[in-house]
């Protein structure tokens, strides 16, 4: 373990931060149900449909609009993770930001199921840890409304986009052309961005885009992530986000 920690410290100083987070998060972490103090999750049949991962502060999974829309396994447990408490109850306490985001996606993407991942505040590698979990779930669409170049895990996002070409990343687009890695995100075949605006407007754009992606994933013939991204940006399905196009 000491050797792995040393290796990860070296990686964190370089560009391969995601490799470090993938290495240090054991598979058992995503399978262990820790003792939880959050409210119990209301029972509901496992929903079907494409899985959309929502990363952020968690949700109030008791909300009527969400109970039947949260991804579950065959035993009815949530396919979710709370990196703050280390359990499968990603409860949003003291706010409603994540809950409103989830409701917006659920309302737009009526045939999709939601994989909720709650980040640990202050974790400089938060996105890497969340992406490690998502990669082990059925979710191929990832919505991260809190993506921000000012965050220390921004470089991990840039690396993840390259490492996971079969996942579609939906992100707010920061203003300005001098943001590190922005050009690569605009050119990536698995990224769609929404203009960073007032929170409700950005949330609606991300929800519309997630719904369009879910619709395209259920269509025939099966489409690649690059094809889905191109159709969304062209406005073939739903209302296209106002983003630069190649």
């Amino acid at each position: 373990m000491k050797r792995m920690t040393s290796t990860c410290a070296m990686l964190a100083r370089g560009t391969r931060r995601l490799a470090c987070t993938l290495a240090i998060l054991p598979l058992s972490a995503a399978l262990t149900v820790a003792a939880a103090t959050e409210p119990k999750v209301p029972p509901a049949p496992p929903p079907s449909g494409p899985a959309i991962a929502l990363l952020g502060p968690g949700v109030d999974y008791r909300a009527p609009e969400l109970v039947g829309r949260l991804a579950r396994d065959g035993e009815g447990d949530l396919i979710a993770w709370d990196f703050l408490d280390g359990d499968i109850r990603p409860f949003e306490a003291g706010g409603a930001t994540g809950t409103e985001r989830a409701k917006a996606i659920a309302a737009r993407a009526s045939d999709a199921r939601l994989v909720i991942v709650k980040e640990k505040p202050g974790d400089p590698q938060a996105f890497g840890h969340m992406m490690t979990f998502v990669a082990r779930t059925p979710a191929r669409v990832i919505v991260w409304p809190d993506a921000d170049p000012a965050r220390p895990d921004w470089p991990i996002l840039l690396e993840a986009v390259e490492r996971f070409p079969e996942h579609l990343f939906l992100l707010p687009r920061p203003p300005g052309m001098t943001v590190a890695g922005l050009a690569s995100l605009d050119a990536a075949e698995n990224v769609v961005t929404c203009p960073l605006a007032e929170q409700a407007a950005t949330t609606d754009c991300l929800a519309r885009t997630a719904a369009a992606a879910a619709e395209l994933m259920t269509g025939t013939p099966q489409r690649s992530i690059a094809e889905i991204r191109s159709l969304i940006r062209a406005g073939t399905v739903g209302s296209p986000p106002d983003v630069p196009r190649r």
Side-chain angles (χ1 to χ4, degrees):
M1 179 61 70
K2 183 176 180 181
R3 182 176 181 180
M4 180 179 290
T5 302
S6 175
T7 301
C8 286
M10 178 182 67
L11 288 169
R13 289 194 295 270
T15 60
R16 310 306 291 178
R17 294 181 177 88
L18 181 61
C20 176
T21 60
L22 288 169
I24 65 177
L25 186 68
L27 177 61
S28 59
L31 301 176
T32 301
V33 181
T37 58
E38 297 90 347
K40 290 185 178 180
V41 180
S48 58
I52 299 173
L54 175 61
L55 282 51
V59 303
D60 184 348
Y61 39 69
R62 303 168 300 177
E65 302 94 328
L66 300 179
V67 171
R69 303 299 307 283
L70 302 176
R72 300 174 187 251
D73 61 20
E75 297 181 352
D77 291 325
L78 295 186
I79 302 176
W81 194 253
D82 182 340
F83 279 97
L84 178 61
D85 297 325
D87 58 38
I88 60 171
R89 297 182 182 178
F91 185 70
E92 181 178 31
T97 299
T99 303
E100 292 305 314
R101 291 169 176 172
K103 287 180 180 179
I105 296 173
R108 292 279 190 176
S110 59
D111 294 328
R113 50 190 168 139
L114 301 179
V115 173
I116 306 299
V117 186
K118 180 179 177 179
E119 74 171 283
K120 181 180 180 180
D123 179 3
Q125 297 183 5
F127 179 79
H129 292 139
M130 292 189 290
M131 185 62 213
T132 300
F133 176 79
V134 171
R136 297 167 178 173
T137 75
R140 292 176 63 207
V141 177
I142 301 166
V143 182
W144 191 30
D146 297 319
D148 186 339
R151 291 179 53 129
D153 49 1
W154 177 259
I156 302 178
L157 165 66
L158 301 179
E159 186 177 334
V161 166
E162 295 184 7
R163 183 166 183 148
F164 296 97
E166 294 307 312
H167 287 74
L168 182 65
F169 295 81
L170 309 184
L171 314 164
R173 188 180 192 279
M177 295 303 298
T178 60
V179 173
L182 186 58
S184 65
L185 290 183
D186 286 342
E189 295 187 342
N190 60 333
V191 175
V192 179
T193 58
C194 286
L196 183 60
E198 189 271 333
Q199 181 174 296
T202 301
T203 296
D204 182 67
C205 179
L206 290 170
R208 285 190 285 107
T209 308
E215 181 179 343
L216 288 166
M217 284 182 175
T218 58
T220 303
Q222 292 295 312
R223 297 180 173 89
S224 69
I225 288 297
E227 290 173 322
I228 290 172
R229 177 258 198 183
S230 296
L231 290 170
I232 291 173
R233 288 167 67 103
T236 301
V237 176
S239 301
D242 182 16
V243 295
R245 299 172 186 162
R246 288 193 294 169

